[in-house]
Every structure is written in C-alpha cells, then in structure tokens.
Amino acid sequence: SSDQCEEVKDLAFDTCCFDRCSLCGEGARLDAELLVDVDGEEGTCADIESGLFQERTIDGSENCTEARSLYYDACCFEIPSSPCQLCAMDEYMHHTAEIVFNDDDA
C-alpha cells in the first residue's frame, strides 16, 4: 500500500539514497571504455565512475570536484545538438571496420 511505501521511504532513504557524483555531470556522456591513467595504473573511465558510486561520492563534494577536474576532459563528451548519424537508426554499425578518412586510418 502507499502507507507502507511511505514508511519504507522514511526508514531507508538516508541509508539507501544519495545525490551521487557522476563524472560527467549533466549534459555530457561517459566514454566508458576509454583507457586513462588512474593513480599510475591503467583503468577505464567506467572504472572511475564505478569507484565514485561505490564510495558513495556525493555530487558537489570535494572528491567529486577533484575527479571531474582530473578526468572530465578525457572521459566525457557532449553530444552535439545536431549529431551526424553514420548509420540509420535501425541499422547495425560494425565497430571493428576500418576506413580511410582524410588520409588517416580510422
């Protein structure tokens, strides 16, 4: 019932819920598989994001701000308002295919 729901929310909210820190914040996306240097070892941007969650890092905290200042430029990207879609929305893209663009392999 809704009374039970409200009771559980009142009892568990402070323990279970927090305003978590997201490495990219609002309006940007995480390049999850990108490899970066994390304290002298190689890790992914997803590893950093996961660590922030596991440590229950709160948005706006010193740890959150520090993580963003260290990794935002490498790990996060903003989606353009008018993105270029290479493939139609219902088609599969082969991520391992190599092409030549502007005389560079991509």
Side-chain angles (χ1 to χ4, degrees), residues 44-58:
T44 65
C45 294
D47 294 335
I48 298 166
E49 182 80 3
S50 178
L52 292 171
F53 179 76
Q54 290 174 356
E55 294 169 7
R56 296 178 59 100
T57 304
I58 296 173

Side-chain angles (χ1 to χ4, degrees), residues 54-67:
Q54 290 174 356
E55 294 169 7
R56 296 178 59 100
T57 304
I58 296 173
D59 191 37
S61 69
E62 185 176 334
N63 287 347
C64 182
T65 302
E66 181 179 351

